[in-house]
Amino acid sequence: ITSGESLAGEKPDARAYMAEDEIIVQFEAPRTSVKSVAAARAVRREWVRTFEDLQKKGWIVDYSSLPSIGVVKIKIRNAEVRDSVVEAISRKTGKRPAPVSRASRKRSQSTQALWNNDGAPTVASDEPGYGKLAWAWRMIGAPGAWAANGFGRPSVIVSVIDDGIRREHPDLANILTNDGYDFVSDGYQVMCDGNRLVSRTGDNDGPDADPSQPIEYTRDATQGCLKDVVRRGGHGLHVIGILAGGINGEGMAGLAPGIRVRPIRTFDIGGSSTDYDIAQSVLYAAGEIVDVGGGRFLQVPKSAVINMSYESDTPSRLEELAIARALSNGVVLIAAAGNSGTDRPTYPSAYPGVIG
């Protein structure tokens, strides 16, 4: 990273901010693909040797890495040592580390599900909420596609990168894979009532194997703080319902209720994420090995499709690197576009190869 350049870029949105205890260093990506966890550990060890003296001083707490694109995230002790760490790494590598950017996703409105128990239909149009809520399916000709091709195959996995799921929702029964993940990194959000701090993860444990959404708040875009608890269900739940909600006699059917969904929680309790967490989520969904810190390395079969129902006004170099890698793996990437009602490009939909 050249001096003064940020992987995240400048975020004009008032809700954007930097993670004060995290920085990113980009090394040259391995010349050959990192195919095994053992190879990923070896690459990480080589990179981390660069910072051994800083770790002995207690300035560096932990690392995580994205081996396939040559990126290391360094967790530092606190903001007080940040400048010292940055200067030391700059001297060692000739590169100035970048801050980790957090930016808020612009979300669509959720539609409250209509639940009842009128039997178990076998066609989407028999779902109790179909008549009122499925105008979009009729508009795009979904009934004809269902008649010709069915509802999708369970061998097709779509990863949804969003703010998590609610497993108790009846429309999610039997459509979720068991290898979803929560990549929301540790940190804090500020509440509007007295500026008190709350864990941005909502579950107080950082990355883990449970992509459930513990809680969600609305965000005051002007003040940059969190306000009321959202009780109707999260954005990720809404998106997965549109994509693959089951045919079960409750609510309505999704567009492809026969597929499997891999839920990936990337956005925190206020709808924000870091560029690093987004990149990590994309690479995980694309079948790459990711290192979540604490000696934990993860890899799952690549998705057929990655759904990214979020947008930002400015690009992120780190996010673009991850997306390019996913595209090279043959994954289809789809992102939100047009939510702002302007002709300005938004990201990730404006990156080359992404369908928006």
Side-chain angles (χ1 to χ4, degrees):
I1 308 303
T2 58
S3 177
E5 181 183 7
S6 167
L7 285 170
E10 293 288 324
K11 302 280 191 188
D13 190 328
R15 297 167 291 179
Y17 58 100
M18 296 297 178
E20 293 184 351
D21 60 348
E22 297 175 351
I23 57 176
I24 287 175
V25 179
Q26 184 177 23
F27 292 85
E28 183 178 357
R31 296 184 182 278
T32 57
S33 297
V34 180
K35 299 288 190 183
S36 68
V37 169
R41 289 185 189 279
V43 169
R44 181 185 187 273
R45 275 196 303 271
E46 187 64 30
W47 291 338
V48 168
R49 282 198 191 101
T50 308
F51 318 119
E52 280 181 338
D53 58 332
L54 302 180
Q55 191 165 13
K56 288 177 181 177
K57 289 181 178 181
W59 291 357
I60 293 177
V61 177
D62 197 10
Y63 307 89
S64 63
S65 65
L66 307 176
S68 61
I69 59 174
V71 168
V72 175
K73 182 179 76 171
I74 300 174
K75 183 88 168 176
I76 60 177
R77 187 177 68 208
N78 53 44
E80 283 73 29
V81 303
R82 180 188 183 87
D83 290 345
S84 298
V85 172
V86 168
E87 290 307 318
I89 292 174
S90 298
R91 289 194 301 270
K92 288 172 175 292
T93 65
K95 301 176 181 179
R96 190 165 186 82
V100 176
S101 172
R102 290 180 180 154
S104 295
R105 176 193 60 232
K106 297 174 183 175
R107 298 180 290 185
S108 58
Q109 287 294 108
S110 297
T111 301
Q112 188 167 359
L114 300 180
W115 295 2
N116 60 36
N117 293 289
D118 292 338
T122 57
V123 294
S125 57
D126 286 344
E127 290 285 271
Y130 184 87
K132 182 177 180 180
L133 301 176
W135 57 270
W137 293 168
R138 294 188 291 271
M139 180 180 288
I140 66 174
W146 291 330
N149 300 303
F151 297 120
R153 301 185 304 276
S155 59
V156 175
I157 295 177
V158 177
S159 287
V160 174
I161 296 175
D162 216 287
D163 62 6
I165 55 168
R166 301 286 177 87
R167 291 188 183 276
E168 68 272 20
H169 196 297
D171 272 343
L172 301 191
N174 303 317
I175 69 167
L176 301 177
T177 67
N178 61 6
D179 56 5
Y181 210 81
D182 176 357
F183 286 106
V184 178
S185 54
D186 291 325
Y188 296 93
Q189 288 274 23
V190 180
M191 298 298 297
C192 296
D193 57 343
N195 289 329
R196 63 187 175 91
L197 298 178
V198 293
S199 167
R200 64 182 298 265
T201 67
D203 53 15
N204 299 303
D205 61 0
D208 61 58
D210 182 5
S212 299
Q213 183 192 51
I215 194 169
E216 181 186 14
Y217 293 87
T218 58
R219 174 179 285 277
D220 186 312
T222 303
Q223 299 183 65
C225 52
L226 304 185
K227 296 174 66 176
D228 305 318
V229 174
V230 178
R231 301 188 185 280
R232 65 187 173 202
H235 187 267
L237 174 66
H238 175 55
V239 169
I240 293 175
I242 292 173
L243 172 64
I247 300 176
N248 58 359
E250 303 190 51
M252 63 168 288
L255 182 60
I259 66 169
R260 305 289 306 286
V261 174
R262 175 183 289 143
I264 298 178
R265 183 176 182 238
T266 309
F267 291 87
D268 68 13
I269 60 173
S272 296
S273 185
T274 70
D275 291 349
Y276 184 90
D277 290 352
I278 291 173
Q280 190 170 51
S281 299
V282 169
L283 291 170
Y284 178 75
E288 295 289 339
I289 296 172
V290 298
D291 160 25
V292 295
R296 292 175 293 167
F297 289 78
L298 311 173
Q299 186 177 31
V300 294
K302 74 176 182 179
S303 315
V305 178
I306 298 174
N307 186 85
M308 304 174 289
S309 292
Y310 51 88
E311 60 181 13
S312 173
D313 293 334
T314 54
S316 155
R317 184 179 168 199
L318 178 53
E319 182 181 46
E320 187 172 13
L321 286 171
I323 283 174
R325 185 72 182 191
L327 289 168
S328 72
N329 287 357
V331 179
V332 176
L333 288 99
I334 299 175
N339 284 348
S340 302
T342 71
D343 58 1
R344 294 194 305 271
T346 57
Y347 302 89
S349 63
Y351 295 130
V354 177
I355 299 171

